[in-house]
Every structure is written in structure tokens, then in C-alpha cells.
Amino acid sequence: MDEFKRHFIRSGQEIRLCISQIQKNFPENLKNKAIQSGEAGVILECLGFRWELHQPQLFQSKTLTKLYVMALARGNANPEKELEKLLPAQLPGKMKEQRPIKKMIISLKINDPLVTEAAFAVALKNLYLREVKVSVDDVLGVLAAAHILQFRSLFQRCVTTMMNGLTPGTIKNFYLAGCKYKEEPLTTACEKWMETNLVPLVGTQIHLRKIPQELLHKVLRSPRLFTFSEFHLLKTLLLWVYLQLNNKAQTIPMYETVLSFFSSFPKKCCFLDRDVGQNWMPLFLCLRLHGITKGKDLEELRHINFFPESWLVQVIANHYHALENGGDMAHVKDLTTQGVRFGLLFNQEYTTHSKVIAIYGFFFEIKGIKHDTTSYSFHMQRIRHTDLEFASSVYEHSPISLRAERLVTYEIRAQTLVDGKWQEFTTNQIKQKFGLVKSSCKSHALKIQTVGIPIYASFSFVFSLS
């Protein structure tokens, strides 16, 4: 019995060594060779079909190589000798001399529902032809087939296709595939794509419902997250919760519909303190509610009874303290994790793009300028309330500060996608006094050179203690 076990172990070790050597010695020029003209030497039984394969192409798959070598070894009284014959047959000088060892039938069981007949056929076709195109619609199934076949080059091409094919409709499944196969470049690409597209794109489509909570949490914690304002980000997150609880909704509802839905819950406790809301508490802890300063917006949040009362009391107390102290944000300690964020999405049709923001009685214009086909700059500048167009209607209820100077710590960032890779630019953190005269009203400009479009420009700032 011991002798049998030793023989079995020795045979298994030699099989593994043989598989490794076959793939190492297999000539590169034959891996992409066209379909063989001779009779197929291997029949693969899989998914209820019989697939005819040629030995040289089969050896690109570790799984099929293992099945073939094991079947060859099982069919011979002296398997070690047959395995020794197989290695010389794969060397470049021996390819024409060596006849096929024998016609072999191998079987492969696949239980993954993603691997359809069509996806498996595409994977096998890639054994024969150079870089058969894999469509975004089919890529999940082909990726799963490549993983089962241990066909690494095809697997990597599928990953590249997925990284270049991220959309609101594909982001969920591509991210989950990256997690399933522990393919870090794919999961990282999904996270980076979501950081820029959560608010301006995904948040406007019904696909928002499908975004996994884990991915959403990572994106909310990222310092690279793009948003038009803190209030825009809050509305996106409220909408995500609404869609989790209203599975039959087929279109994006009006914001008023979302508010009415949360207002309909009994008032005995806030939504996040309910059983259904506690699971989502970590998401809302990532928000910077202190960046929501408009009284109307804060009143809406109080009315829907979504947040714990203590949260809103603290936010309002911080606002009163800041107003009483000329805008000083004593409650904000770190620009990266607590700075108030505003954003510009600079599209191809723009030569200039700007908007005015107001906080604690100070008014700033954030602006992007296109200088030529690849040159852009982004800056912010303080403006007088009397210079605002439509000031009486837009900022009718805003306080107005008469302070001549305001000390601000800020950072301007820009991101854009070029050939599948993100380009990132930043001014780094700058502390500057903003006055109302020309020499002191303007920030440092972030100047960039890029062919990427659109450009996601983020302005993060804190009113530092004077």
C-alpha cells in the first residue's frame, strides 16, 4: 500500500512538472497560429458539446493541458514514459517530426452560469486566432471562461476591455467581477471611474440603484470624489437609499418625491435610527453636512426627519459660530477630509465655464478657461456681492460679510481620462488672504496640459482662523 501511495505521489509531481515545462517550452509563434489543417487530436466534452481541439493550441490553457496530460497518463501502464515523450514533441525542431500521440477525449465540468456556450466558444476561438475581439456585452462570460481555462492572456484582455468599457450600466458587474477574481487593477479602475461619475452621471440614471454599498462607501471616503457641491452629493445618496426601498421605480424620481417619501415615516425617530436605516449609517457619516449652508436646504433636511437631531443641531451651531466669527470654521480641522467642496465639469464645448458660490457672507467665482486645444487653467476669486448678476433673486437670503480680507486654505484639483488612464493635477494646499481689490482677490491658478475631456475640476476650501 505504501509503495502504491509513493508511486501515485511521484506520478502527480511529474505531471505538474510536465505541465509547467510544456507551457514554458511551447513556441510563441505557434500560440497565435491559424487553425490547424490536420485532424484534431483532442475532443473536449463540455457544456453538453464536443469541441475538437489541436494539441498545440490546447497547451495555452493550463486547465486543458492538465486534463490532457492526466488523461494521457491514466491510459498507459507506464505514464512517466509517455509524459517524457510529450515534452520533446513540443520543441520547435520536433513539431513536424512528431505524430500526434493519440486522439484523446477529455471532459471539463463548468457550473458557472456566466459561462454560456457562446462565451466558451469565444474563449476556445482565442486559442487559435490572434486577439479575437471580445465585446463589452460578452466580456463577463468570456472572462469567466478564461478564468476556468486558466488562459491568462485572454483573461487580461477581458480585464482591459472591461476597464475601457465602464458605464453606469456596466459598473456594478465589472466591479463585482474584479472582487470575485481578486483583480485589483479592475476594482481600482471601477473605483476611480465612480469617483468622478457618481454625482454628474450615475446619480442621474436608474442604474444608481445597482451600485453596491461597499463600492459606494469606498467612493464617498475618497479625497478624489467629484461633486458639484456637498448638497448635490447628499441628494445623490438620498436617491440611492430611495431606490433601494422602491424596487418598482423605473425612472429617476423628482427630488420632491424623495423628500415626500422620507417624510412619510412616523416621526418617533429619524430614518437612520430605524432598523432599515442603521445599515446605511456608515455612508452618511462620510458626508460633510457642514458644507450645506443654505437655510432652505437645512430646513428640508430637518423636515424629512432623516438624520439624528443631534447631527443637525451640531451643523447649525457650527454655522452660527462661523457667522459670529467672520466666517472662521473652527469646527474644520483638515482640508482633505473636511474641506467644503465645489466642482466644475468642463466639457468640450466650453471656452470658459464658471459659477458663483456663497458661504458665510463671502462670494467666490470658481472658473475654468480653455486657452487652446490642450491648455486649460482653473482658479477662484473673491467677488463683491454688488457685482453679482441677479443677486437679489439668487442670494436674497444669504448674509453679506463686509470684511476686507478672508484667510482661506484651499486646493484646486483636476482629473481627466486619457487612453484609459487618469491624469490628475493639483495646486496642493495653499493658504491665502483674499481681498476685494484686484491684487488680492484671485487664487493661484491650476494650469494643465491635456488632451482629455471632460475635465473634472474640484475646489476644496476652509475658512481658516483669522
Side-chain angles (χ1 to χ4, degrees):
M1 183 67 177
D2 290 341
E3 179 63 29
F4 173 78
K5 289 173 66 177
R6 282 194 296 271
H7 176 77
F8 180 80
I9 293 171
R10 185 171 66 251
S11 297
Q13 291 172 339
E14 292 194 13
I15 287 172
R16 287 193 294 272
L17 178 61
C18 181
I19 292 171
S20 176
Q21 289 179 319
I22 287 171
Q23 295 205 305
K24 181 179 179 180
N25 294 325
F26 193 69
E28 288 293 327
N29 64 316
L30 285 172
K31 288 185 179 181
N32 294 314
K33 192 174 180 181
I35 296 175
Q36 303 290 299
S37 57
E39 185 180 356
V42 181
I43 295 176
L44 170 64
E45 296 180 338
C46 185
L47 299 175
F49 293 88
R50 291 164 66 90
W51 313 82
E52 293 191 349
L53 301 173
H54 294 80
Q55 189 189 78
Q57 280 67 35
L58 174 146
F59 288 138
Q60 294 177 74
S61 161
K62 287 186 178 181
T63 299
L64 297 183
T65 302
K66 181 179 179 181
L67 290 173
Y68 179 80
V69 171
M70 292 180 69
L72 184 66
R74 281 196 302 269
N76 289 274
N78 191 347
E80 291 90 343
K81 187 175 181 180
E82 290 297 323
L83 294 177
E84 289 172 2
K85 290 181 182 178
L86 190 60
L87 277 172
Q90 308 314 315
L91 296 177
K94 302 288 186 178
M95 292 302 292
K96 293 182 180 180
E97 303 171 13
Q98 186 71 23
R99 295 180 182 180
I101 295 175
K102 62 172 61 177
K103 195 151 190 173
M104 192 75 63
I105 297 177
I106 59 176
S107 298
L108 176 63
K109 292 184 179 180
I110 296 178
N111 297 319
D112 191 334
L114 285 176
V115 184
T116 62
E117 175 196 346
F120 194 67
V122 171
L124 294 182
K125 188 176 181 180
N126 272 268
L127 294 172
Y128 287 83
L129 301 178
R130 180 186 294 273
E131 298 195 5
V132 176
K133 186 176 180 181
V134 179
S135 71
V136 172
D137 292 337
D138 299 330
V139 72
L140 278 171
V142 179
L143 179 84
H147 175 75
I148 291 170
L149 291 171
Q150 296 185 68
F151 188 178
R152 189 62 186 173
S153 62
L154 176 59
F155 186 90
Q156 287 302 318
R157 282 194 281 118
C158 287
V159 168
T160 300
T161 298
M162 294 163 82
M163 291 168 63
N164 293 330
L166 293 173
T167 66
T170 63
I171 184 69
K172 172 198 170 184
N173 288 333
F174 288 5
Y175 174 75
L176 293 178
C179 294
K180 177 180 178 180
Y181 300 118
K182 297 180 173 58
E183 193 65 26
E184 187 174 342
L186 178 56
T187 55
T188 300
C190 291
E191 291 165 14
K192 282 184 170 291
W193 188 88
M194 277 291 292
E195 287 166 1
T196 51
N197 288 287
L198 171 62
V199 173
L201 182 60
V202 182
T204 65
Q205 299 185 23
I206 198 67
H207 297 295
L208 176 65
R209 168 191 285 138
K210 300 178 182 179
I211 303 302
Q213 183 173 343
E214 176 194 359
L215 174 58
L216 195 56
H217 192 221
K218 286 182 180 180
V219 170
L220 290 172
R221 295 175 62 187
S222 172
R224 296 180 297 272
L225 172 61
F226 174 86
T227 182
F228 297 115
S229 70
E230 302 299 342
F231 190 57
H232 275 88
L233 182 58
L234 168 62
K235 289 198 294 184
T236 300
L237 199 50
L238 287 175
L239 177 57
W240 181 85
V241 174
Y242 174 90
L243 293 174
Q244 305 310 302
L245 299 174
N246 293 270
N247 294 325
K248 294 182 179 180
Q250 298 299 312
T251 58
I252 292 292
M254 299 289 290
Y255 179 58
E256 290 74 18
T257 302
V258 177
L259 294 180
S260 298
F261 172 75
F262 290 118
S263 299
S264 66
F265 285 86
K267 304 298 183 184
K268 59 181 180 179
C269 70
C270 73
F271 179 84
L272 287 180
D273 282 339
R274 297 178 180 277
D275 291 340
V276 67
Q278 287 181 355
N279 290 332
W280 296 319
M281 182 76 80
L283 299 177
F284 288 89
L285 286 170
C286 297
L287 296 179
R288 305 178 188 182
L289 295 179
H290 59 270
I292 301 173
T293 59
K294 287 186 179 180
K296 175 179 177 293
D297 298 337
L298 292 170
E299 180 59 28
E300 285 178 349
L301 295 185
R302 188 194 65 78
H303 178 69
I304 65 173
N305 196 33
F306 188 91
F307 295 98
E309 184 177 1
S310 59
W311 290 23
L312 297 181
V313 168
Q314 186 62 58
V315 168
I316 293 172
N318 290 337
H319 289 340
Y320 275 119
H321 183 273
L323 286 169
E324 289 175 350
N325 291 273
D328 290 349
M329 296 180 180
H331 53 284
V332 177
K333 307 299 182 185
D334 180 65
L335 177 66
T336 302
T337 58
Q338 296 177 294
V340 180
R341 297 165 294 187
F342 292 90
L344 292 177
L345 183 56
F346 204 97
N347 290 315
Q348 188 168 10
E349 64 268 22
Y350 294 146
T351 53
T352 63
H353 183 42
S354 66
K355 69 179 178 182
V356 175
I357 58 178
I359 185 166
Y360 300 142
F362 296 89
F363 300 90
F364 289 84
E365 181 183 32
I366 58 177
K367 190 171 187 177
I369 302 172
K370 181 178 182 179
H371 301 285
D372 56 45
T373 54
T374 61
S375 179
Y376 303 83
S377 67
F378 298 89
H379 70 273
M380 56 187 283
Q381 69 180 71
R382 186 180 172 190
I383 57 178
R384 299 176 186 272
H385 68 280
T386 53
D387 295 336
L388 297 175
E389 294 182 19
F390 313 113
S392 59
S393 59
V394 178
Y395 300 110
E396 183 177 0
H397 301 294
S398 295
I400 297 172
S401 175
L402 300 178
R403 289 186 59 162
E405 292 184 328
R406 174 66 263 170
L407 184 62
V408 181
T409 301
Y410 66 91
E411 180 179 11
I412 305 173
R413 303 171 60 98
Q415 304 174 76
T416 188
L417 191 62
V418 178
D419 295 330
K421 295 182 179 180
W422 286 98
Q423 292 183 343
E424 298 182 13
F425 310 88
T426 178
T427 60
N428 295 317
Q429 293 188 19
I430 299 173
K431 185 174 285 189
Q432 177 182 339
K433 283 186 177 180
F434 284 83
L436 289 168
V437 296
K438 188 174 181 180
S439 60
S440 63
C441 69
K442 200 170 182 179
S443 73
H444 290 258
L446 175 64
K447 299 178 180 179
I448 68 173
Q449 295 283 335
T450 184
V451 295
I453 209 74
I455 300 171
Y456 303 84
S458 298
F459 300 76
S460 179
F461 63 87
V462 173
F463 288 174
S464 307
L465 299 182
S466 303

